[in-house]
Amino acid sequence: LQQRRGLRLSAPAAIQVTVRDALNQALDEELERDERVFLLGEEVAQYDGAYKISRGLWKKYGDKRVIDTPISEMGFTGIAVGAAMAGLRPVCEFMTFNFSMQAIDQVINSAAKSCYMSAGSISVPIVFRGPNGASAGVAAQHSQCFAAWYGHCPGLKVVSPWSAEDAKGLLKSSIRDDNPVVMLESELLYGVPFEMSEQAQSKDFVIPIGKAKIERPGTHVTLVAHSRPVGHCMEAATVLSKEGVECEVINLRTIRPMDIETVEASVVKTNHLVTVEGGWPQFGVGAEICARIMEGPAFNYLDAPAVRVTGADVPMPYAKILEDNSIPQVKDIVFAVKKALNI
């Protein structure tokens, strides 16, 4: 009615925010909201974080809330798990999740299993977060995706954001959750700006763990991805739409618990499925999605076998041309969609 009268309505105040700043906002808001929350890890305090995620937080909250640790993942992860058992809410940063292998006993045997083994009397409200998967030019020991590893383990929740809104909302939900949560970020997304809605700018904004998001509706094929490959899927969908193929892109957001219902509903509509991930193919996230679809009601709606697009089944090479060929690219997704649709 106001538009008919010629009045100008102000658009929602969406702004551009990088994933780095979204994570920083979430940490700042949760440190302010709950005095039990604290951040620890290598270089997180005085250096403002190896990736500047914790920029300004040490100066604002001090040594007791933002804690620099020695280079000893097993040690500081054990301290964090013990603190969580004692009633605090630690955020434990790994400089890369490849280094979390040094602390795998603390993450799995101590954090993930304690609630079950204590019949619910010991909760471990802790967040393990940091960059996961391939970066650029850092070779095999810094480029592994751990989504399938941690998604395999009962007792953990595992989230994997793509956009700035994902990063902020999922980190806030993870910190508030009473279970151990593994948050797998992408170093290559830290500096990427995304539109953040007015709602997401609120201190009360959270994204429920275990709920996927349809980033782009479509009718011909379902593309399911998490983290950085979601952006590749969006690009591939734009390319394919020019050829008359409309892709439905699902941003999984959570690896465990997996929102298979959203994927099933999409497959029922499109009759085709392509999964995309940066991790290795064997026992991967895409393999789990395909198995769950095969075992469920959506299988009868598939008009062709599901197709997986994954990283190459090799340790990450150092040379850039080999690295590029080891990670799913937009052209690989386009090829997989055409294979699924037999075009």
Side-chain angles (χ1 to χ4, degrees):
L1 185 60
Q2 287 176 313
Q3 284 177 320
R4 287 178 183 174
R5 290 173 180 166
L7 298 175
R8 292 183 65 184
L9 296 177
S10 59
I15 59 173
Q16 292 280 314
V17 177
T18 65
V19 171
R20 174 182 288 108
D21 289 341
L23 292 166
N24 182 266
Q25 283 177 29
L27 287 169
D28 189 9
E29 290 169 8
E30 293 306 302
L31 283 161
E32 183 180 64
R33 173 181 173 272
D34 189 341
E35 64 181 13
R36 297 172 298 172
V37 176
F38 71 97
L39 172 66
L40 81 168
E42 296 154 2
E43 310 282 14
V44 299
Q46 296 185 40
Y47 188 66
D48 279 342
Y51 305 97
K52 306 307 174 195
I53 303 299
S54 53
R55 186 179 57 241
L57 299 181
W58 174 67
K59 288 180 180 176
K60 184 173 181 179
Y61 295 101
D63 289 327
K64 288 189 176 180
R65 305 289 302 283
V66 184
I67 303 169
D68 277 332
T69 66
I71 303 174
S72 175
E73 280 75 15
M74 179 180 285
F76 69 72
T77 305
I79 290 170
V81 172
M85 290 177 175
L88 299 179
R89 305 187 83 88
V91 179
C92 178
E93 177 179 307
F94 296 120
M95 198 176 285
T96 152
F97 259 94
N98 297 268
F99 302 158
S100 74
M101 292 294 93
Q102 302 294 324
I104 196 77
D105 182 56
Q106 305 287 10
V107 177
I108 304 302
N109 282 326
S110 298
K113 298 176 182 176
S114 288
C115 185
Y116 180 85
M117 294 178 71
S118 67
S121 64
I122 300 175
S123 62
V124 189
I126 186 171
V127 179
F128 304 103
R129 55 154 296 272
N132 169 73
S135 179
V138 291
Q141 292 180 330
H142 298 74
S143 298
Q144 190 172 331
C145 177
F146 288 91
W149 283 54
Y150 287 115
H152 180 66
C153 302
L156 293 178
K157 295 183 178 180
V158 183
V159 298
S160 182
W162 169 56
S163 66
E165 283 196 10
D166 288 349
K168 182 178 180 181
L170 287 172
L171 181 52
K172 288 170 73 73
S173 289
S174 300
I175 292 171
R176 298 181 188 188
D177 202 286
D178 287 332
N179 300 282
V181 181
V182 172
M183 182 160 176
L184 304 170
E185 302 154 12
S186 169
E187 181 186 338
L188 295 175
L189 288 176
Y190 282 154
V192 178
F194 289 87
E195 190 171 276
M196 184 176 278
S197 66
E198 190 173 21
Q199 178 192 10
Q201 296 168 46
S202 163
K203 290 185 178 182
D204 299 320
F205 176 72
V206 293
I207 290 173
I209 294 174
K211 187 62 185 167
K213 180 185 179 186
I214 297 175
E215 297 287 352
R216 177 183 176 129
T219 54
H220 295 128
V221 62
T222 299
L223 294 176
V224 187
H226 65 94
S227 191
R228 188 165 172 256
V230 175
H232 294 339
C233 288
M234 296 291 280
E235 291 180 44
T238 301
V239 171
L240 286 160
S241 68
K242 295 173 183 176
E243 300 182 34
V245 176
E246 294 302 326
C247 302
E248 180 145 295
V249 179
I250 296 177
N251 174 8
L252 207 53
R253 296 204 293 203
T254 304
I255 307 301
R256 184 186 185 104
M258 186 178 285
D259 182 6
I260 203 66
E261 292 80 13
T262 295
V263 180
E264 284 180 335
S266 179
V267 170
V268 167
K269 179 172 70 170
T270 68
N271 310 115
H272 299 88
L273 172 64
V274 174
T275 68
V276 186
E277 64 188 303
W280 294 319
Q282 192 155 317
F283 313 114
V285 175
E288 175 66 15
I289 294 169
C290 292
R292 298 276 280 275
I293 291 298
M294 187 184 74
E295 293 167 352
F299 175 71
N300 294 314
Y301 290 84
L302 280 175
D303 287 342
V307 179
R308 291 179 295 160
V309 180
T310 71
D313 196 22
V314 296
M316 183 62 67
Y318 173 72
K320 187 177 189 319
I321 190 166
L322 296 177
E323 180 183 70
D324 289 344
N325 281 283
S326 299
I327 305 169
Q329 307 291 337
V330 172
K331 61 181 177 60
D332 302 315
I333 301 169
V334 170
F335 178 83
V337 167
K338 290 184 176 181
K339 177 182 177 183
L341 295 174
N342 196 28
I343 57 175

